[in-house]
Amino acid sequence: MLSQLLKSHCLPLAATFCLFAQGASAKTCELSIEGNDAMQYNTKELTVAKDCTDVKVTLKHVGKLPKAAMGHNFTLTAEKDMQAVITAGMQAGLPADYLPKDDARIIASTKVVGGGETATTSFKMAQLKPGETYKYFCTFPGHSAVMNGTLVIK
């Protein structure tokens, strides 16, 4: 029966790889973070288990101010790319959620949300390199100085 399954779903030369892929289980881990009207995230560290294959991050703006006045987003990059992405995001402006378009340095990002709004993003753990430090931050102008933290993999 397994032989028939492999023949019907896999190329003969790739049968071993297909069997491995079929046996592998994906694990989506969910993280949440809040931003407020005092220009703060509620945590300076988000921890994700190293056995996760996918990560879903939900940002909730718990304040009341609109996004044009006190908007927040969640952006994840390697630490070395953080400042360059922030600078490029300021040039992109609010219509682009203060994010440079199609920037490969951005691992994950949400749209800018205002008070009472929520946004979600996701990424694959395979995008992260061992030994690299990853930072999350808000790209709304001036916010990243205090609205930033570290993604920790354990």
Side-chain angles (χ1 to χ4, degrees):
M1 183 167 174
L2 179 60
S3 173
Q4 290 174 334
L5 177 67
L6 289 175
K7 285 179 185 176
S8 66
H9 289 88
C10 301
L11 296 172
L13 294 174
T16 302
F17 297 107
C18 185
L19 182 60
F20 175 76
Q22 289 171 353
S25 61
K27 180 180 177 183
T28 300
C29 297
E30 296 189 18
L31 303 173
S32 62
I33 189 166
E34 296 176 353
N36 62 35
D37 287 342
M39 204 166 67
Q40 298 172 332
Y41 283 136
N42 66 330
T43 184
K44 288 285 191 183
E45 186 175 282
L46 289 173
T47 303
V48 63
K50 62 182 170 184
D51 65 338
C52 298
T53 56
D54 300 279
V55 179
K56 179 180 171 183
V57 181
T58 300
L59 167 67
K60 182 177 182 182
H61 191 317
V62 297
K64 298 187 185 318
L65 294 173
K67 69 180 180 180
M70 188 57 69
H72 301 311
N73 67 2
F74 172 93
T75 306
L76 179 68
T77 68
E79 183 175 38
K80 64 182 172 56
D81 296 326
M82 180 177 163
Q83 191 56 54
V85 168
I86 291 164
T87 301
M90 287 192 311
Q91 295 170 349
L94 181 58
D97 295 307
Y98 296 109
L99 294 166
K101 185 177 177 153
D102 300 324
D103 193 317
R105 297 171 296 190
I106 299 172
I107 297 164
S109 62
T110 65
K111 65 181 184 175
V112 171
V113 294
E117 296 178 324
T118 300
T120 301
T121 186
S122 60
F123 62 94
K124 299 208 171 287
M125 288 288 287
Q127 293 174 261
L128 307 182
K129 297 175 185 160
E132 186 93 45
T133 299
Y134 293 94
K135 298 291 280 186
Y136 60 86
F137 48 93
C138 177
T139 59
F140 193 99
H143 289 200
S144 63
V146 290
M147 291 189 77
N148 67 78
T150 305
L151 180 73
V152 177
I153 302 164
K154 289 186 178 179

